[in-house]
Amino acid sequence: MILVLASERDPGAAALVAGWAGARLLTPADLSLPGWELAAGPSSGTGPSVGRGIADGEPFTDDGVRWVVSLLAGVEAGDLAWIAEEHRTYVAGEMTAFLGHWLETIGERCLVAPSHASLAGPCLPTSVWAASAGLAMTDDEEPVTPVVVTVVGGEVFRVAGEGPTPSAELRRRLVRMAITRAAPLLTVVVDLGGGRALPRLHAVLPAPLARTAPVRAAIRTQVRRVVGTEVAS
C-alpha cells in the first residue's frame, strides 16, 4: 500500500491517488477517527507490536505500508472544519506533532524524510538551497518574475507562472540540488526575469505541489522505481 499524506484542500493529492492501484489518501480528517495506535518502541513495555492507523476512512497496519508520499508540510487550522474554531490551531499543532512521530516510525519508507519544520522534507534556509544549486538568490528590493517548478527524481516540471521554459542548465542544477539534499520530490520558485544568464532562486516550498498530470505521473513512476529497488535488494 502507498499512502499519500495531504490536505483534503489539495486537489492534486486526490488526483494523484485516483487510478493509482494500491494508493490511499491520508488526511487530517483520518486522525480524528478511532483506530490509531503507535507501535511500542524498543524500550516500551506497552502498546502493539505493529502500529495501526486510518487512511481514506479505512484501517491499515504499519507493516502493510510500502511507501509514504507526503504533500503536507503540516496540519493547518483550515484543515479542521469539524473542530470547534477556538481549538483548531491547538489541534492542528498536536496533529502535526503526531504525524511527525508516526513518519519517523515509518522511517526509510518515506519518499522524502520529514524534518523538524516540515512533514514533507527538509526545510532549509534559501541560501543553503541556492548554494546546492549554484544559483544566486532573489533580492527583496528587485521585482521577481516567478515560475514554480516541481522536481521529481531527475525531471523538472513547470506547475505555475509565466515566462520562458526553464532551460536544460537550470533543470540540471535543480535536480542536483534535490539529490544533494535527499529530496527527490520538491517544489521550487525561481525568478526567470531580468535577462540573466542563470535564473535566481526565490524559494523552496515547505511541501511539494502535484497540481499537474505530468507531475503526478512522474511521482507514480518514481515510487514504482524506488519500491522496485527496495524489493530487488
Side-chain angles (χ1 to χ4, degrees), residues 62-190:
D62 287 357
D63 59 356
V65 177
R66 297 289 301 281
W67 220 256
V68 176
V69 177
S70 179
L71 305 179
L72 184 70
V75 181
E76 298 179 356
D79 294 317
L80 307 178
W82 64 96
I83 302 291
E85 186 173 0
E86 64 269 25
H87 300 311
R88 289 176 190 171
T89 299
Y90 171 78
V91 173
E94 291 296 299
M95 285 185 170
T96 298
F98 176 86
L99 286 169
H101 180 73
W102 175 74
L103 288 172
E104 288 183 0
T105 69
I106 295 297
E108 294 182 354
R109 289 174 289 167
C110 295
L111 181 62
V112 182
S115 69
H116 71 283
S118 173
L119 300 174
C123 203
L124 304 169
T126 304
S127 59
V128 175
W129 289 111
S132 297
L135 296 174
M137 295 187 298
T138 55
D139 186 331
D140 291 340
E141 297 181 358
E142 296 183 23
V144 173
T145 305
V147 170
V148 184
V149 298
T150 294
V151 180
V152 187
E155 300 182 272
V156 179
F157 304 88
R158 182 207 296 266
V159 294
E162 302 294 334
T165 300
S167 67
E169 176 62 18
L170 175 60
R171 295 196 300 271
R172 184 186 69 79
R173 287 171 182 260
L174 293 179
V175 168
R176 182 182 67 188
M177 179 185 75
I179 292 173
T180 300
R181 297 298 167 183
L185 174 61
L186 78 165
T187 295
V188 182
V189 184
V190 294

Side-chain angles (χ1 to χ4, degrees), residues 2 65-67 109 223-233:
I2 308 297
V65 177
R66 297 289 301 281
W67 220 256
R109 289 174 289 167
V223 170
R224 284 194 293 268
R225 182 180 299 119
V226 295
V227 169
T229 300
E230 177 190 55
V231 171
S233 63

